[in-house]
Amino acid sequence: MFPDRVEKMILDGVQNPHDYYHAQANFEEWTDSDAEFSAFFAGCAASRDNCALATGNNKTAAELEQEVWDLLDTLKYHPLTARNYLLDYNTVKSYLVNQLYGSAGWPVAASVINLVLTRQLDTLADVLDATGQLNVTDPWAASALYQALAGIYCGDNQVRTEKFEDFLPAVKRLYDTSRILGDNAISVYSACQQWKIKPKETYTGDFNVKTKSPVLFIGNTFDGLTPLVSAKNVSSTFEGSALLTVNGYGHSSLAAPSACTIRTTSAYWTNGTLPEEGKVCESDFPLFSDANWVDPINEVYGNGTVTAKRDVPHLPGLRRSLAPLPLKW
């Protein structure tokens, strides 16, 4: 691009570009996926009154997680229906993957999964109708999204594999990297290995960059989609850049409301101040609580600040906030 024109830039939720352009799959991307997935159950067990999966029982986090894995194994061969909703392995697994985007919706997700486990399927259908949590009624829309994403990624990626047996080690590596996300994007990765359409432009340069002004990178400790290690790796190739670590859960710092993050990024935008090496900002909310950006924004800037852009949406009739995001392939 034009690094000599960069005045200020924050890169948050960072993916390893070396994998993206030059590997058979994005192996590093799923480094922390299982850790964040397990944190869902650890948070649930630590806040039983706010988590339907743990309410009224003494199950450990490991036992709660195993119940969900057993459910997925069952749905592979014995899918369920909740009125017009098909609850098969792919649908429920994709729903769980979506929860890795942010912890704000975890209380509702726990309720949804609990309804599946306890086979309260009519109640589940009512919840899904009200929240739109499983939008699986339009397969053509899902297919269009898949094709669009495949077209972008396959055009960018520069690796091709002729024989299926030469791609199998990549599949095994993905499975070994993450149980929750290892099988998530194999269909796209395999399609790209046989991709025949050549884009007009493909980036063939490196990522050793000197920008006009230093770049600020941000990574979460529990980001199942763009792990902290990727932010560290990319930051190391941007001369003079700094890394802010957010001790929180979900995809990018926006998933982990924090007054510390606001102060740090505001200082950067205002006068170019970079955080000191090793700077860590804590999320202001424990898991399975009403996480939102209103409180930290008001803490930093005062009550009455316009917070709509970062406010976590609430749906009528539901006690817990939701943060629905599109499924990443």
Side-chain angles (χ1 to χ4, degrees), residues 13-187:
V14 183
Q15 186 173 10
N16 187 328
H18 304 284
D19 273 2
Y20 181 84
Y21 284 98
H22 304 299
Q24 290 176 312
N26 293 318
F27 302 109
E28 190 175 276
E29 186 171 5
W30 319 121
T31 299
D32 293 335
S33 304
D34 288 357
E36 187 190 352
F37 187 63
S38 294
F40 175 96
F41 301 98
C44 177
S47 185
R48 294 182 183 276
D49 291 342
N50 297 328
C51 181
L53 286 170
T55 300
N57 63 63
N58 295 315
K59 293 175 182 176
T60 66
E63 289 170 337
L64 294 172
E65 182 173 351
Q66 188 57 52
E67 268 195 318
V68 172
W69 285 119
D70 292 343
L71 170 66
L72 289 172
D73 287 339
T74 298
L75 293 177
K76 284 182 180 179
Y77 307 103
H78 304 285
L80 301 172
T81 56
R83 291 206 288 270
N84 61 318
Y85 295 97
L86 173 64
L87 307 174
D88 59 3
Y89 172 85
N90 183 63
T91 300
V92 176
K93 182 86 176 292
S94 295
Y95 175 73
L96 291 169
V97 167
N98 254 341
Q99 304 315 310
L100 300 184
Y101 278 94
S103 63
W106 286 7
V108 171
S111 297
V112 168
I113 296 303
N114 187 61
L115 291 174
V116 179
L117 286 167
T118 56
R119 302 300 191 266
Q120 300 179 62
L121 300 180
D122 283 337
T123 302
L124 173 63
D126 291 338
V127 172
L128 297 178
D129 286 342
T131 64
Q133 287 277 292
L134 286 180
N135 184 17
V136 295
T137 56
D138 188 353
W140 298 113
S143 175
L145 174 63
Y146 170 89
Q147 292 180 53
L149 291 172
I152 295 169
Y153 174 64
C154 297
D156 288 340
N157 184 268
Q158 296 162 28
V159 178
R160 298 294 180 265
T161 305
E162 292 186 6
K163 298 180 179 179
F164 177 69
E165 53 267 30
D166 293 332
F167 182 66
L168 283 177
V171 175
K172 183 180 185 303
R173 183 176 173 185
L174 288 166
Y175 274 63
D176 290 343
T177 300
S178 173
R179 187 178 182 184
I180 187 64
L181 266 164
D183 63 354
N184 184 58
I186 288 177
S187 59

Side-chain angles (χ1 to χ4, degrees), residues 241-297:
S241 67
L243 171 66
L244 171 65
T245 298
V246 177
N247 190 22
Y249 301 82
H251 179 42
S252 84
S253 67
L254 293 178
S258 166
C260 172
T261 302
I262 294 175
R263 292 189 180 98
T264 304
T265 54
S266 294
Y268 175 75
W269 288 127
T270 302
N271 51 38
T273 301
L274 293 169
E276 66 271 19
E277 185 176 353
K279 172 75 172 180
V280 178
C281 283
E282 297 291 336
S283 174
D284 290 349
F285 297 89
L287 294 176
F288 287 86
S289 65
D290 286 314
N292 64 84
W293 277 102
V294 177
D295 294 342
I297 289 175

